Amino acid sequence: MASTDEATALVPDGARKAYDGLDTEASKNFHDTRHAVQSTEMHQTEGGFLKPLIFGGLDGILTSFAIVAGAAGGSMPVPVVLVLGFSNIFADALAMGVGEFLSSKAENEWILSERRRENWEMENYPEGEIKEMIDIYVDRGMKHEDAKLVIETMAKYKDFFVDIMMTEELNLQVPEEDHKTESMKEGVVMFCSFASFGSLPLLGYVLIPLAFPNLGEEILFTTACVVTGMVLFLMGCVKSNFSASHWFTCGLETLLLGGACATAAYTIGQFVDDLTGLC
């Protein structure tokens, strides 16, 4: 049976596991084993769709539950809740998906335009670009002689050096060649996440009456609260896989922030209902 260190070195996320446990020996074993089979260290890449997944899911479920809470606070009937909820969720999901695609695409196109500018400057005045990079490395603590050696060596490889300039000078990450496809995927993830999670608080208003037709609206609203709270906590736990925070802390943070938003929606709905009742 393999030792703990050997097992950590062989799994794809061994570097992350070693870091989480502050295990220097496991980290060393992982890198030694990885270099024996390939020269590139595998890093966690699933986080590319983390933003649209988490943001879309949170926005969807909070938007949906805000409608449910506001309707409950305003004493609206169940059919009105369902019509407002589902129509709003899918319209918002489409808008969010399109918006994510267009914003990601626009950002990538701007970054590539900046890369073309840097490439043009490198072709027409390489000495100036090299000097700028040397100054940057010196400002970060390198001796001038060392920085000059490093930069002049990298400058021999123009495309590589231009990408380094983008990162060091402009703090921009150059997108992949198929960035439009990636932007579209982000938009689809945003749409699916928003629509899927946004439907959860409303499903109780559809499914529970089928099995228990005599339940009151208060029970349906309580069920929506429980489902929403559980999903918010689970989403926070999933988010912890891409951060250094503990799963319980992330889950509780997401639950509390989402609960605050839902409480505000319920309070506003109740206030408006009372206000209109006085008029």
Side-chain angles (χ1 to χ4, degrees):
M1 182 176 180
S3 66
T4 301
D5 289 344
E6 290 173 341
T8 303
L10 293 175
V11 296
D13 58 344
R16 167 61 62 180
K17 292 181 179 295
Y19 170 74
D20 289 341
L22 299 179
D23 191 336
T24 56
E25 189 63 28
S27 177
K28 177 179 179 298
N29 289 340
F30 170 79
H31 284 84
D32 289 345
T33 304
R34 184 63 61 189
H35 287 312
V37 295
Q38 63 183 46
S39 60
T40 302
E41 177 184 346
M42 294 175 62
H43 285 267
Q44 197 170 26
T45 59
E46 294 88 342
F49 295 123
L50 179 64
K51 177 188 171 185
L53 179 64
I54 297 297
F55 178 56
L58 285 175
D59 202 4
I61 195 170
L62 290 178
T63 298
S64 175
F65 188 70
I67 295 172
V68 172
S75 302
M76 294 183 181
V78 172
V80 174
V81 176
L82 294 176
V83 171
L84 289 176
F86 281 112
S87 60
N88 184 75
I89 285 302
F90 283 95
D92 280 358
L94 183 60
M96 293 290 289
V98 172
E100 178 68 22
F101 165 69
L102 293 177
S103 62
S104 177
K105 177 173 172 287
E107 181 182 16
N108 289 334
E109 289 175 346
W110 171 70
I111 292 175
L112 290 175
S113 71
E114 288 296 299
R115 191 189 187 284
R116 288 192 293 270
R117 179 180 62 81
E118 290 289 344
N119 189 66
W120 179 85
E121 291 177 351
M122 184 63 186
E123 289 180 347
N124 290 274
Y125 187 36
E127 296 82 4
E129 294 300 320
I130 291 174
K131 184 178 184 304
E132 286 181 3
M133 289 292 291
I134 292 174
D135 291 341
I136 290 174
Y137 277 44
V138 170
D139 289 342
R140 293 184 179 180
M142 290 185 70
K143 294 181 179 179
H144 186 274
E145 296 78 12
D146 293 337
K148 187 172 184 293
L149 175 61
V150 169
I151 297 302
E152 288 182 346
T153 301
M154 290 193 296
K156 296 177 181 179
Y157 310 92
K158 192 183 73 171
D159 287 341
F160 167 74
F161 187 60
V162 170
D163 288 342
I164 296 295
M165 288 162 53
M166 290 290 294
T167 302
E168 300 294 346
E169 286 188 36
L170 305 179
N171 293 320
L172 296 176
Q173 185 67 40
V174 179
E176 301 293 336
E177 293 182 0
D178 61 342
H179 67 90
K180 291 183 180 179
T181 301
E182 291 300 310
S183 296
M184 185 172 295
K185 289 180 181 179
E186 291 177 9
V188 171
V189 170
M190 174 68 78
F191 170 81
C192 294
S193 180
F194 192 104
S196 300
F197 286 99
S199 299
L200 293 178
L202 296 169
L203 289 179
Y205 281 79
V206 177
L207 300 178
I208 293 179
L210 295 178
F212 307 98
N214 297 323
L215 290 180
E217 295 182 7
E218 296 80 6
I219 300 297
L220 296 179
F221 178 64
T222 301
T223 303
C225 291
V226 173
V227 170
T228 302
M230 291 174 60
V231 173
L232 287 173
F233 184 79
L234 289 175
M235 289 186 70
C237 294
V238 171
K239 187 179 66 173
S240 70
N241 290 324
F242 303 93
S243 68
S245 302
H246 191 268
W247 64 269
F248 184 80
T249 302
C250 280
L252 185 62
E253 176 188 51
T254 306
L255 174 61
L256 292 177
L257 291 175
C261 296
T263 301
Y266 182 86
T267 303
I268 292 172
Q270 194 171 47
F271 172 76
V272 173
D273 182 55
D274 294 340
L275 188 64
T276 54
L278 294 175
C279 296

PDB file of all heavy atoms in Angstrom, residues 52 56-57 59-61 63 85-101 186-199:
ATOM      1  N   PRO A  52     -19.187  32.448 -12.868  1.00  0.00           N
ATOM      2  CA  PRO A  52     -20.562  32.384 -13.366  1.00  0.00           C
ATOM      3  C   PRO A  52     -21.417  31.351 -12.650  1.00  0.00           C
ATOM      4  O   PRO A  52     -22.629  31.538 -12.505  1.00  0.00           O
ATOM      5  CB  PRO A  52     -20.386  32.029 -14.855  1.00  0.00           C
ATOM      6  CG  PRO A  52     -19.026  31.434 -14.967  1.00  0.00           C
ATOM      7  CD  PRO A  52     -18.208  32.112 -13.933  1.00  0.00           C
ATOM      8  N   GLY A  56     -24.087  33.168 -10.669  1.00  0.00           N
ATOM      9  CA  GLY A  56     -25.384  32.891 -11.275  1.00  0.00           C
ATOM     10  C   GLY A  56     -26.303  32.167 -10.317  1.00  0.00           C
ATOM     11  O   GLY A  56     -27.499  32.487 -10.225  1.00  0.00           O
ATOM     12  N   GLY A  57     -25.771  31.166  -9.600  1.00  0.00           N
ATOM     13  CA  GLY A  57     -26.595  30.423  -8.664  1.00  0.00           C
ATOM     14  C   GLY A  57     -27.102  31.278  -7.519  1.00  0.00           C
ATOM     15  O   GLY A  57     -28.290  31.241  -7.167  1.00  0.00           O
ATOM     16  N   ASP A  59     -27.317  34.610  -7.427  1.00  0.00           N
ATOM     17  CA  ASP A  59     -28.224  35.634  -7.943  1.00  0.00           C
ATOM     18  C   ASP A  59     -29.583  35.033  -8.257  1.00  0.00           C
ATOM     19  O   ASP A  59     -30.630  35.625  -7.965  1.00  0.00           O
ATOM     20  CB  ASP A  59     -27.619  36.268  -9.198  1.00  0.00           C
ATOM     21  CG  ASP A  59     -28.205  37.644  -9.474  1.00  0.00           C
ATOM     22  OD1 ASP A  59     -29.008  38.124  -8.649  1.00  0.00           O
ATOM     23  OD2 ASP A  59     -27.870  38.241 -10.511  1.00  0.00           O
ATOM     24  N   GLY A  60     -29.561  33.825  -8.860  1.00  0.00           N
ATOM     25  CA  GLY A  60     -30.819  33.188  -9.215  1.00  0.00           C
ATOM     26  C   GLY A  60     -31.666  32.832  -8.013  1.00  0.00           C
ATOM     27  O   GLY A  60     -32.859  33.167  -7.945  1.00  0.00           O
ATOM     28  N   ILE A  61     -31.076  32.170  -7.034  1.00  0.00           N
ATOM     29  CA  ILE A  61     -31.862  31.715  -5.889  1.00  0.00           C
ATOM     30  C   ILE A  61     -32.296  32.887  -5.008  1.00  0.00           C
ATOM     31  O   ILE A  61     -33.406  32.891  -4.463  1.00  0.00           O
ATOM     32  CB  ILE A  61     -31.092  30.657  -5.073  1.00  0.00           C
ATOM     33  CG1 ILE A  61     -32.052  29.934  -4.118  1.00  0.00           C
ATOM     34  CG2 ILE A  61     -29.933  31.286  -4.297  1.00  0.00           C
ATOM     35  CD1 ILE A  61     -31.444  28.719  -3.464  1.00  0.00           C
ATOM     36  N   THR A  63     -32.781  36.031  -6.143  1.00  0.00           N
ATOM     37  CA  THR A  63     -33.821  36.742  -6.892  1.00  0.00           C
ATOM     38  C   THR A  63     -35.158  36.039  -6.755  1.00  0.00           C
ATOM     39  O   THR A  63     -36.199  36.666  -6.503  1.00  0.00           O
ATOM     40  CB  THR A  63     -33.432  36.838  -8.376  1.00  0.00           C
ATOM     41  OG1 THR A  63     -32.224  37.578  -8.504  1.00  0.00           O
ATOM     42  CG2 THR A  63     -34.523  37.533  -9.183  1.00  0.00           C
ATOM     43  N   GLY A  85     -42.609  34.614 -10.314  1.00  0.00           N
ATOM     44  CA  GLY A  85     -41.342  33.935 -10.067  1.00  0.00           C
ATOM     45  C   GLY A  85     -40.735  33.325 -11.303  1.00  0.00           C
ATOM     46  O   GLY A  85     -39.608  33.662 -11.693  1.00  0.00           O
ATOM     47  N   PHE A  86     -41.463  32.445 -11.975  1.00  0.00           N
ATOM     48  CA  PHE A  86     -40.898  31.732 -13.125  1.00  0.00           C
ATOM     49  C   PHE A  86     -40.634  32.663 -14.310  1.00  0.00           C
ATOM     50  O   PHE A  86     -39.607  32.530 -14.996  1.00  0.00           O
ATOM     51  CB  PHE A  86     -41.811  30.578 -13.539  1.00  0.00           C
ATOM     52  CG  PHE A  86     -41.673  29.362 -12.682  1.00  0.00           C
ATOM     53  CD1 PHE A  86     -42.713  28.965 -11.843  1.00  0.00           C
ATOM     54  CD2 PHE A  86     -40.502  28.619 -12.687  1.00  0.00           C
ATOM     55  CE1 PHE A  86     -42.579  27.840 -11.041  1.00  0.00           C
ATOM     56  CE2 PHE A  86     -40.368  27.493 -11.891  1.00  0.00           C
ATOM     57  CZ  PHE A  86     -41.405  27.103 -11.065  1.00  0.00           C
ATOM     58  N   SER A  87     -41.529  33.597 -14.563  1.00  0.00           N
ATOM     59  CA  SER A  87     -41.301  34.515 -15.686  1.00  0.00           C
ATOM     60  C   SER A  87     -40.073  35.382 -15.429  1.00  0.00           C
ATOM     61  O   SER A  87     -39.253  35.603 -16.331  1.00  0.00           O
ATOM     62  CB  SER A  87     -42.536  35.389 -15.920  1.00  0.00           C
ATOM     63  OG  SER A  87     -42.834  36.165 -14.770  1.00  0.00           O
ATOM     64  N   ASN A  88     -39.930  35.833 -14.203  1.00  0.00           N
ATOM     65  CA  ASN A  88     -38.792  36.691 -13.871  1.00  0.00           C
ATOM     66  C   ASN A  88     -37.474  35.901 -13.884  1.00  0.00           C
ATOM     67  O   ASN A  88     -36.446  36.398 -14.377  1.00  0.00           O
ATOM     68  CB  ASN A  88     -38.998  37.316 -12.497  1.00  0.00           C
ATOM     69  CG  ASN A  88     -37.897  38.290 -12.138  1.00  0.00           C
ATOM     70  OD1 ASN A  88     -37.850  39.406 -12.644  1.00  0.00           O
ATOM     71  ND2 ASN A  88     -36.998  37.880 -11.255  1.00  0.00           N
ATOM     72  N   ILE A  89     -37.519  34.668 -13.368  1.00  0.00           N
ATOM     73  CA  ILE A  89     -36.298  33.867 -13.286  1.00  0.00           C
ATOM     74  C   ILE A  89     -35.728  33.592 -14.664  1.00  0.00           C
ATOM     75  O   ILE A  89     -34.530  33.787 -14.921  1.00  0.00           O
ATOM     76  CB  ILE A  89     -36.571  32.546 -12.530  1.00  0.00           C
ATOM     77  CG1 ILE A  89     -36.695  32.814 -11.035  1.00  0.00           C
ATOM     78  CG2 ILE A  89     -35.446  31.539 -12.769  1.00  0.00           C
ATOM     79  CD1 ILE A  89     -35.477  33.472 -10.410  1.00  0.00           C
ATOM     80  N   PHE A  90     -36.548  33.128 -15.580  1.00  0.00           N
ATOM     81  CA  PHE A  90     -36.019  32.745 -16.885  1.00  0.00           C
ATOM     82  C   PHE A  90     -35.672  33.958 -17.744  1.00  0.00           C
ATOM     83  O   PHE A  90     -34.741  33.902 -18.551  1.00  0.00           O
ATOM     84  CB  PHE A  90     -37.000  31.812 -17.597  1.00  0.00           C
ATOM     85  CG  PHE A  90     -36.967  30.418 -17.061  1.00  0.00           C
ATOM     86  CD1 PHE A  90     -37.866  30.011 -16.085  1.00  0.00           C
ATOM     87  CD2 PHE A  90     -36.003  29.518 -17.485  1.00  0.00           C
ATOM     88  CE1 PHE A  90     -37.819  28.725 -15.558  1.00  0.00           C
ATOM     89  CE2 PHE A  90     -35.944  28.234 -16.967  1.00  0.00           C
ATOM     90  CZ  PHE A  90     -36.850  27.838 -15.999  1.00  0.00           C
ATOM     91  N   ALA A  91     -36.387  35.054 -17.563  1.00  0.00           N
ATOM     92  CA  ALA A  91     -36.007  36.281 -18.271  1.00  0.00           C
ATOM     93  C   ALA A  91     -34.676  36.808 -17.745  1.00  0.00           C
ATOM     94  O   ALA A  91     -33.788  37.194 -18.525  1.00  0.00           O
ATOM     95  CB  ALA A  91     -37.098  37.341 -18.112  1.00  0.00           C
ATOM     96  N   ASP A  92     -34.522  36.806 -16.429  1.00  0.00           N
ATOM     97  CA  ASP A  92     -33.268  37.259 -15.828  1.00  0.00           C
ATOM     98  C   ASP A  92     -32.109  36.322 -16.162  1.00  0.00           C
ATOM     99  O   ASP A  92     -30.982  36.761 -16.366  1.00  0.00           O
ATOM    100  CB  ASP A  92     -33.409  37.374 -14.312  1.00  0.00           C
ATOM    101  CG  ASP A  92     -34.095  38.663 -13.886  1.00  0.00           C
ATOM    102  OD1 ASP A  92     -34.409  39.469 -14.784  1.00  0.00           O
ATOM    103  OD2 ASP A  92     -34.320  38.857 -12.679  1.00  0.00           O
ATOM    104  N   ALA A  93     -32.390  35.019 -16.201  1.00  0.00           N
ATOM    105  CA  ALA A  93     -31.341  34.050 -16.530  1.00  0.00           C
ATOM    106  C   ALA A  93     -30.815  34.290 -17.937  1.00  0.00           C
ATOM    107  O   ALA A  93     -29.599  34.252 -18.180  1.00  0.00           O
ATOM    108  CB  ALA A  93     -31.876  32.622 -16.399  1.00  0.00           C
ATOM    109  N   LEU A  94     -31.712  34.544 -18.873  1.00  0.00           N
ATOM    110  CA  LEU A  94     -31.289  34.831 -20.244  1.00  0.00           C
ATOM    111  C   LEU A  94     -30.475  36.113 -20.307  1.00  0.00           C
ATOM    112  O   LEU A  94     -29.421  36.165 -20.960  1.00  0.00           O
ATOM    113  CB  LEU A  94     -32.519  34.931 -21.149  1.00  0.00           C
ATOM    114  CG  LEU A  94     -32.243  35.155 -22.636  1.00  0.00           C
ATOM    115  CD1 LEU A  94     -31.408  34.015 -23.207  1.00  0.00           C
ATOM    116  CD2 LEU A  94     -33.551  35.305 -23.401  1.00  0.00           C
ATOM    117  N   ALA A  95     -30.945  37.132 -19.610  1.00  0.00           N
ATOM    118  CA  ALA A  95     -30.219  38.402 -19.599  1.00  0.00           C
ATOM    119  C   ALA A  95     -28.844  38.255 -18.959  1.00  0.00           C
ATOM    120  O   ALA A  95     -27.846  38.803 -19.459  1.00  0.00           O
ATOM    121  CB  ALA A  95     -31.036  39.460 -18.848  1.00  0.00           C
ATOM    122  N   MET A  96     -28.769  37.495 -17.874  1.00  0.00           N
ATOM    123  CA  MET A  96     -27.489  37.298 -17.193  1.00  0.00           C
ATOM    124  C   MET A  96     -26.534  36.494 -18.064  1.00  0.00           C
ATOM    125  O   MET A  96     -25.331  36.779 -18.126  1.00  0.00           O
ATOM    126  CB  MET A  96     -27.716  36.584 -15.864  1.00  0.00           C
ATOM    127  CG  MET A  96     -28.464  37.404 -14.835  1.00  0.00           C
ATOM    128  SD  MET A  96     -27.497  38.776 -14.180  1.00  0.00           S
ATOM    129  CE  MET A  96     -26.314  37.878 -13.180  1.00  0.00           C
ATOM    130  N   GLY A  97     -27.047  35.459 -18.746  1.00  0.00           N
ATOM    131  CA  GLY A  97     -26.194  34.648 -19.610  1.00  0.00           C
ATOM    132  C   GLY A  97     -25.635  35.448 -20.767  1.00  0.00           C
ATOM    133  O   GLY A  97     -24.436  35.383 -21.061  1.00  0.00           O
ATOM    134  N   VAL A  98     -26.490  36.228 -21.420  1.00  0.00           N
ATOM    135  CA  VAL A  98     -26.038  37.074 -22.529  1.00  0.00           C
ATOM    136  C   VAL A  98     -25.057  38.124 -22.027  1.00  0.00           C
ATOM    137  O   VAL A  98     -24.028  38.396 -22.666  1.00  0.00           O
ATOM    138  CB  VAL A  98     -27.244  37.727 -23.223  1.00  0.00           C
ATOM    139  CG1 VAL A  98     -26.780  38.756 -24.246  1.00  0.00           C
ATOM    140  CG2 VAL A  98     -28.100  36.674 -23.909  1.00  0.00           C
ATOM    141  N   GLY A  99     -25.360  38.705 -20.881  1.00  0.00           N
ATOM    142  CA  GLY A  99     -24.471  39.714 -20.324  1.00  0.00           C
ATOM    143  C   GLY A  99     -23.104  39.165 -19.973  1.00  0.00           C
ATOM    144  O   GLY A  99     -22.082  39.820 -20.208  1.00  0.00           O
ATOM    145  N   GLU A 100     -23.078  37.951 -19.421  1.00  0.00           N
ATOM    146  CA  GLU A 100     -21.799  37.319 -19.084  1.00  0.00           C
ATOM    147  C   GLU A 100     -20.979  37.061 -20.339  1.00  0.00           C
ATOM    148  O   GLU A 100     -19.770  37.307 -20.372  1.00  0.00           O
ATOM    149  CB  GLU A 100     -22.052  36.008 -18.344  1.00  0.00           C
ATOM    150  CG  GLU A 100     -20.788  35.239 -17.973  1.00  0.00           C
ATOM    151  CD  GLU A 100     -19.958  35.934 -16.922  1.00  0.00           C
ATOM    152  OE1 GLU A 100     -20.514  36.772 -16.176  1.00  0.00           O
ATOM    153  OE2 GLU A 100     -18.743  35.643 -16.844  1.00  0.00           O
ATOM    154  N   PHE A 101     -21.642  36.562 -21.387  1.00  0.00           N
ATOM    155  CA  PHE A 101     -20.942  36.294 -22.649  1.00  0.00           C
ATOM    156  C   PHE A 101     -20.378  37.577 -23.248  1.00  0.00           C
ATOM    157  O   PHE A 101     -19.196  37.643 -23.624  1.00  0.00           O
ATOM    158  CB  PHE A 101     -21.898  35.625 -23.645  1.00  0.00           C
ATOM    159  CG  PHE A 101     -21.390  35.631 -25.063  1.00  0.00           C
ATOM    160  CD1 PHE A 101     -20.294  34.860 -25.429  1.00  0.00           C
ATOM    161  CD2 PHE A 101     -21.999  36.420 -26.022  1.00  0.00           C
ATOM    162  CE1 PHE A 101     -19.813  34.872 -26.736  1.00  0.00           C
ATOM    163  CE2 PHE A 101     -21.532  36.441 -27.327  1.00  0.00           C
ATOM    164  CZ  PHE A 101     -20.442  35.664 -27.690  1.00  0.00           C
ATOM    165  N   GLU A 186     -19.076  30.398 -20.559  1.00  0.00           N
ATOM    166  CA  GLU A 186     -19.368  31.124 -19.323  1.00  0.00           C
ATOM    167  C   GLU A 186     -20.796  31.644 -19.326  1.00  0.00           C
ATOM    168  O   GLU A 186     -21.483  31.622 -18.296  1.00  0.00           O
ATOM    169  CB  GLU A 186     -18.371  32.275 -19.164  1.00  0.00           C
ATOM    170  CG  GLU A 186     -16.953  31.827 -18.872  1.00  0.00           C
ATOM    171  CD  GLU A 186     -15.984  32.996 -18.785  1.00  0.00           C
ATOM    172  OE1 GLU A 186     -16.451  34.153 -18.788  1.00  0.00           O
ATOM    173  OE2 GLU A 186     -14.767  32.754 -18.728  1.00  0.00           O
ATOM    174  N   GLY A 187     -21.252  32.134 -20.481  1.00  0.00           N
ATOM    175  CA  GLY A 187     -22.626  32.606 -20.584  1.00  0.00           C
ATOM    176  C   GLY A 187     -23.632  31.484 -20.372  1.00  0.00           C
ATOM    177  O   GLY A 187     -24.651  31.667 -19.693  1.00  0.00           O
ATOM    178  N   VAL A 188     -23.353  30.311 -20.957  1.00  0.00           N
ATOM    179  CA  VAL A 188     -24.248  29.162 -20.788  1.00  0.00           C
ATOM    180  C   VAL A 188     -24.271  28.712 -19.327  1.00  0.00           C
ATOM    181  O   VAL A 188     -25.334  28.389 -18.769  1.00  0.00           O
ATOM    182  CB  VAL A 188     -23.813  28.007 -21.712  1.00  0.00           C
ATOM    183  CG1 VAL A 188     -24.594  26.739 -21.385  1.00  0.00           C
ATOM    184  CG2 VAL A 188     -24.005  28.391 -23.166  1.00  0.00           C
ATOM    185  N   VAL A 189     -23.092  28.674 -18.703  1.00  0.00           N
ATOM    186  CA  VAL A 189     -23.026  28.292 -17.289  1.00  0.00           C
ATOM    187  C   VAL A 189     -23.816  29.275 -16.437  1.00  0.00           C
ATOM    188  O   VAL A 189     -24.565  28.877 -15.526  1.00  0.00           O
ATOM    189  CB  VAL A 189     -21.559  28.222 -16.817  1.00  0.00           C
ATOM    190  CG1 VAL A 189     -21.485  28.070 -15.299  1.00  0.00           C
ATOM    191  CG2 VAL A 189     -20.834  27.064 -17.484  1.00  0.00           C
ATOM    192  N   MET A 190     -23.682  30.567 -16.732  1.00  0.00           N
ATOM    193  CA  MET A 190     -24.425  31.577 -15.993  1.00  0.00           C
ATOM    194  C   MET A 190     -25.930  31.370 -16.145  1.00  0.00           C
ATOM    195  O   MET A 190     -26.683  31.399 -15.163  1.00  0.00           O
ATOM    196  CB  MET A 190     -24.027  32.971 -16.487  1.00  0.00           C
ATOM    197  CG  MET A 190     -24.833  34.116 -15.891  1.00  0.00           C
ATOM    198  SD  MET A 190     -24.531  34.378 -14.134  1.00  0.00           S
ATOM    199  CE  MET A 190     -22.955  35.254 -14.218  1.00  0.00           C
ATOM    200  N   PHE A 191     -26.383  31.160 -17.395  1.00  0.00           N
ATOM    201  CA  PHE A 191     -27.819  30.957 -17.638  1.00  0.00           C
ATOM    202  C   PHE A 191     -28.333  29.722 -16.901  1.00  0.00           C
ATOM    203  O   PHE A 191     -29.358  29.786 -16.203  1.00  0.00           O
ATOM    204  CB  PHE A 191     -28.077  30.812 -19.140  1.00  0.00           C
ATOM    205  CG  PHE A 191     -29.475  30.373 -19.470  1.00  0.00           C
ATOM    206  CD1 PHE A 191     -30.512  31.281 -19.486  1.00  0.00           C
ATOM    207  CD2 PHE A 191     -29.755  29.037 -19.740  1.00  0.00           C
ATOM    208  CE1 PHE A 191     -31.817  30.884 -19.767  1.00  0.00           C
ATOM    209  CE2 PHE A 191     -31.051  28.622 -20.023  1.00  0.00           C
ATOM    210  CZ  PHE A 191     -32.086  29.544 -20.042  1.00  0.00           C
ATOM    211  N   CYS A 192     -27.648  28.604 -17.065  1.00  0.00           N
ATOM    212  CA  CYS A 192     -28.093  27.349 -16.452  1.00  0.00           C
ATOM    213  C   CYS A 192     -28.076  27.440 -14.928  1.00  0.00           C
ATOM    214  O   CYS A 192     -29.001  26.958 -14.255  1.00  0.00           O
ATOM    215  CB  CYS A 192     -27.225  26.191 -16.924  1.00  0.00           C
ATOM    216  SG  CYS A 192     -27.381  25.814 -18.686  1.00  0.00           S
ATOM    217  N   SER A 193     -27.023  28.048 -14.384  1.00  0.00           N
ATOM    218  CA  SER A 193     -26.915  28.172 -12.934  1.00  0.00           C
ATOM    219  C   SER A 193     -28.023  29.062 -12.386  1.00  0.00           C
ATOM    220  O   SER A 193     -28.682  28.725 -11.393  1.00  0.00           O
ATOM    221  CB  SER A 193     -25.539  28.742 -12.563  1.00  0.00           C
ATOM    222  OG  SER A 193     -25.412  28.873 -11.166  1.00  0.00           O
ATOM    223  N   PHE A 194     -28.251  30.198 -13.043  1.00  0.00           N
ATOM    224  CA  PHE A 194     -29.289  31.138 -12.585  1.00  0.00           C
ATOM    225  C   PHE A 194     -30.660  30.479 -12.647  1.00  0.00           C
ATOM    226  O   PHE A 194     -31.436  30.533 -11.683  1.00  0.00           O
ATOM    227  CB  PHE A 194     -29.264  32.390 -13.468  1.00  0.00           C
ATOM    228  CG  PHE A 194     -30.076  33.540 -12.943  1.00  0.00           C
ATOM    229  CD1 PHE A 194     -29.462  34.628 -12.338  1.00  0.00           C
ATOM    230  CD2 PHE A 194     -31.461  33.539 -13.053  1.00  0.00           C
ATOM    231  CE1 PHE A 194     -30.216  35.686 -11.846  1.00  0.00           C
ATOM    232  CE2 PHE A 194     -32.221  34.592 -12.567  1.00  0.00           C
ATOM    233  CZ  PHE A 194     -31.601  35.670 -11.971  1.00  0.00           C
ATOM    234  N   ALA A 195     -30.981  29.855 -13.791  1.00  0.00           N
ATOM    235  CA  ALA A 195     -32.304  29.253 -13.960  1.00  0.00           C
ATOM    236  C   ALA A 195     -32.511  28.065 -13.023  1.00  0.00           C
ATOM    237  O   ALA A 195     -33.587  27.911 -12.432  1.00  0.00           O
ATOM    238  CB  ALA A 195     -32.484  28.820 -15.411  1.00  0.00           C
ATOM    239  N   SER A 196     -31.491  27.218 -12.884  1.00  0.00           N
ATOM    240  CA  SER A 196     -31.626  26.010 -12.059  1.00  0.00           C
ATOM    241  C   SER A 196     -31.810  26.354 -10.592  1.00  0.00           C
ATOM    242  O   SER A 196     -32.776  25.914  -9.940  1.00  0.00           O
ATOM    243  CB  SER A 196     -30.406  25.109 -12.238  1.00  0.00           C
ATOM    244  OG  SER A 196     -30.272  24.711 -13.588  1.00  0.00           O
ATOM    245  N   PHE A 197     -30.875  27.133 -10.054  1.00  0.00           N
ATOM    246  CA  PHE A 197     -30.963  27.478  -8.633  1.00  0.00           C
ATOM    247  C   PHE A 197     -32.140  28.419  -8.369  1.00  0.00           C
ATOM    248  O   PHE A 197     -32.749  28.361  -7.303  1.00  0.00           O
ATOM    249  CB  PHE A 197     -29.658  28.118  -8.164  1.00  0.00           C
ATOM    250  CG  PHE A 197     -28.530  27.143  -8.008  1.00  0.00           C
ATOM    251  CD1 PHE A 197     -27.576  27.009  -8.989  1.00  0.00           C
ATOM    252  CD2 PHE A 197     -28.435  26.342  -6.889  1.00  0.00           C
ATOM    253  CE1 PHE A 197     -26.531  26.097  -8.866  1.00  0.00           C
ATOM    254  CE2 PHE A 197     -27.411  25.422  -6.740  1.00  0.00           C
ATOM    255  CZ  PHE A 197     -26.455  25.302  -7.740  1.00  0.00           C
ATOM    256  N   GLY A 198     -32.436  29.274  -9.334  1.00  0.00           N
ATOM    257  CA  GLY A 198     -33.559  30.191  -9.147  1.00  0.00           C
ATOM    258  C   GLY A 198     -34.897  29.481  -9.095  1.00  0.00           C
ATOM    259  O   GLY A 198     -35.856  30.006  -8.507  1.00  0.00           O
ATOM    260  N   SER A 199     -35.003  28.311  -9.705  1.00  0.00           N
ATOM    261  CA  SER A 199     -36.266  27.573  -9.700  1.00  0.00           C
ATOM    262  C   SER A 199     -36.532  26.855  -8.384  1.00  0.00           C
ATOM    263  O   SER A 199     -37.685  26.496  -8.092  1.00  0.00           O
ATOM    264  CB  SER A 199     -36.270  26.544 -10.840  1.00  0.00           C
ATOM    265  OG  SER A 199     -36.149  27.172 -12.095  1.00  0.00           O
TER     266      SER A 199
END
